[in-house]
Amino acid sequence: MALALSLGRRGQGNCWPNPAVGCVIVRDGRIVGRGWTQPGGRPHAEPQALAQAGEAAKGATAYVSLEPCSHYGKTPPCAQVLIGAGVARVVSAIEDSDPRVAGQGFDMLRAAGIEVTSGVLAEQAAQDHAGFFLKTEQGRPFVTLKLASSFDGRIATETGHSQWITGPMARRAVHAMRARHDAVMVGAGTARADDPSLTVRDLGVTHQPVRVVVSRHLDVPLMGHLARTATQMPVWLCHGPHPDAERARAWEGLGARLIPCALDGHHVEAADLLQQLGQAGLTRVFCEGGSALAASLLAGDLVDELVGFTAGLAIGAEGLPAIGVLGLDTLEGAPRFDLIETQAIGGDILHRWGRVTH
């Protein structure tokens, strides 16, 4: 099952809106087939592994990191494919929360006389599939908020200079994180100040995440990196209900997708923003700021994981803070997270935090 989960992670960031599933076929103690969800979500993991196993799948055990699907879509249900291949046993990590499945895949297998075991490494599977489950149950993607800051929590100097606070190894780690998410998201201020490309580079990755910019007025440079590459790699602009018509036409002409969102005062409303991204199929979003967008997501209790890269330099109180105004009067109201891990990345410190679960 650990191998099936590892295989499934290969599809993260590349198979949305489907879950990233891994499958291992074992017969007589020997692995005869392996598969994982392919780009775009199809083929699914099970038929990939079964095709590799061939006749050896008969009487074998299939280890799958998520309950095999039971509904007909663009492909037959994976539960039916497993039945047709003649497997004797299916071991699954966790039940699918999609109401079209939700135990029905297991029922279909048992009705065909196949032994079913569930709950193996379920906690790891729940983490791996958290984005898919959130989209299914709450309509929004899993959100990782990444902030690279100085020791005193600043992301730029008073003049806006920010490249580079962290070192090359930390930046390489960020590219690897981008590759495992469906989309990379920033606010309009960051897009204007940094002119980012928001791509995965120097890792041999062939796919690129969707690049999402949250900009109420669509006031993002039309000659920047994002605009110049919108026809090669997807750019989605999340804006208010009444954007400037001329800028909207210009961005659409460049190949960008425009997504209208509700407003919360003078800003795009964070909860509706994520609902819109969920409806568009995204399951995992990697937010890289800036400070106002970070504050909006934290204030709305919409951050599932915090990733911090802290560098050994100080910028001072006049620098731009990593997180904008939260309007807190007491610490009791502050968003809190549980520490998951810390490690040195080159000359910087990585610290990763998850939602408080106690």
Side-chain angles (χ1 to χ4, degrees):
M1 184 58 74
L3 175 58
L5 286 162
S6 177
L7 291 171
R9 293 181 196 118
R10 297 186 183 187
Q12 286 183 340
N14 202 20
C15 65
W16 60 276
N18 287 354
V21 178
C23 179
V24 178
I25 310 295
V26 177
R27 180 168 177 181
D28 299 327
R30 184 171 65 91
I31 294 174
V32 294
R34 302 186 305 166
W36 59 92
T37 312
Q38 294 299 294
R42 296 180 183 84
H44 292 182
E46 295 92 329
Q48 289 280 303
L50 290 169
Q52 191 178 92
E55 288 298 311
K58 291 183 178 178
T61 296
Y63 294 84
V64 191
S65 65
L66 181 67
E67 176 186 2
C69 61
S70 57
H71 60 287
Y72 283 86
K74 294 183 178 179
T75 56
C78 291
Q80 189 61 56
V81 174
L82 288 164
I83 294 168
V87 301
R89 181 179 180 226
V90 172
V91 180
S92 175
I94 195 168
E95 182 177 304
D96 193 343
S97 65
D98 188 329
R100 296 173 299 175
V101 185
Q104 297 176 68
F106 294 151
D107 292 342
M108 185 182 293
L109 293 167
R110 291 190 180 103
I114 295 173
E115 180 186 347
V116 175
T117 301
S118 181
V120 179
L121 298 184
E123 187 174 340
Q124 292 183 32
Q127 294 173 2
D128 287 355
H129 298 305
F132 177 72
F133 289 164
L134 271 173
K135 186 175 76 69
T136 299
E137 298 163 16
Q138 299 183 27
R140 71 166 181 89
F142 183 95
V143 175
T144 299
L145 174 60
K146 185 277 294 183
L147 298 169
S149 65
S150 62
F151 180 78
D152 54 342
R154 297 300 193 258
I155 57 174
T157 65
E158 184 180 18
T159 61
H161 187 234
S162 62
Q163 298 181 339
W164 296 101
I165 289 177
T166 54
M169 291 185 68
R171 297 198 295 275
R172 185 176 177 84
V174 168
H175 283 274
M177 292 176 183
R178 287 178 178 177
R180 291 185 55 209
H181 287 77
D182 307 342
V184 178
M185 181 169 69
V186 297
T190 297
R192 289 192 296 267
D194 296 346
D195 189 22
S197 61
L198 303 181
T199 54
V200 178
R201 301 185 293 278
D202 302 324
L203 295 179
V205 174
T206 56
H207 76 278
Q208 291 293 341
V210 174
R211 298 170 298 170
V212 177
V213 181
V214 184
S215 176
R216 176 187 174 182
H217 299 293
L218 295 178
D219 50 349
V220 180
L222 288 164
M223 294 299 292
H225 279 122
L226 295 170
R228 294 199 302 272
T229 58
T231 56
Q232 290 84 46
M233 293 167 283
V235 173
W236 295 2
L237 295 173
C238 298
H239 56 82
H242 305 293
D244 180 87
E246 185 175 344
R247 297 189 71 84
R249 285 193 297 271
W251 274 106
E252 287 180 326
L254 291 169
R257 176 176 178 176
L258 303 189
I259 300 177
C261 302
L263 295 181
D264 179 10
H266 297 291
H267 304 284
V268 170
E269 205 270 317
D272 187 62
L273 161 69
L274 295 185
Q275 288 293 316
Q276 298 301 327
L277 294 179
Q279 288 181 28
L282 298 183
T283 65
R284 292 167 54 85
V285 171
F286 192 63
C287 180
E288 300 195 41
S291 59
L293 180 57
S296 178
L297 292 168
L298 286 167
D301 190 27
L302 297 167
V303 174
D304 302 292
E305 182 179 69
L306 281 176
V307 173
F309 288 90
T310 300
L313 80 161
I315 292 177
E318 69 274 25
L320 180 65
I323 298 171
V325 175
L326 286 174
L328 297 175
D329 294 322
T330 65
L331 289 179
E332 285 72 21
R336 287 190 180 272
F337 296 81
D338 284 329
L339 182 62
I340 298 173
E341 66 169 323
T342 62
Q343 61 175 298
I345 304 289
D348 306 306
I349 297 294
L350 161 67
H351 41 112
R352 192 162 64 92
W353 308 72
R355 278 185 172 274
V356 172
T357 56
H358 53 77

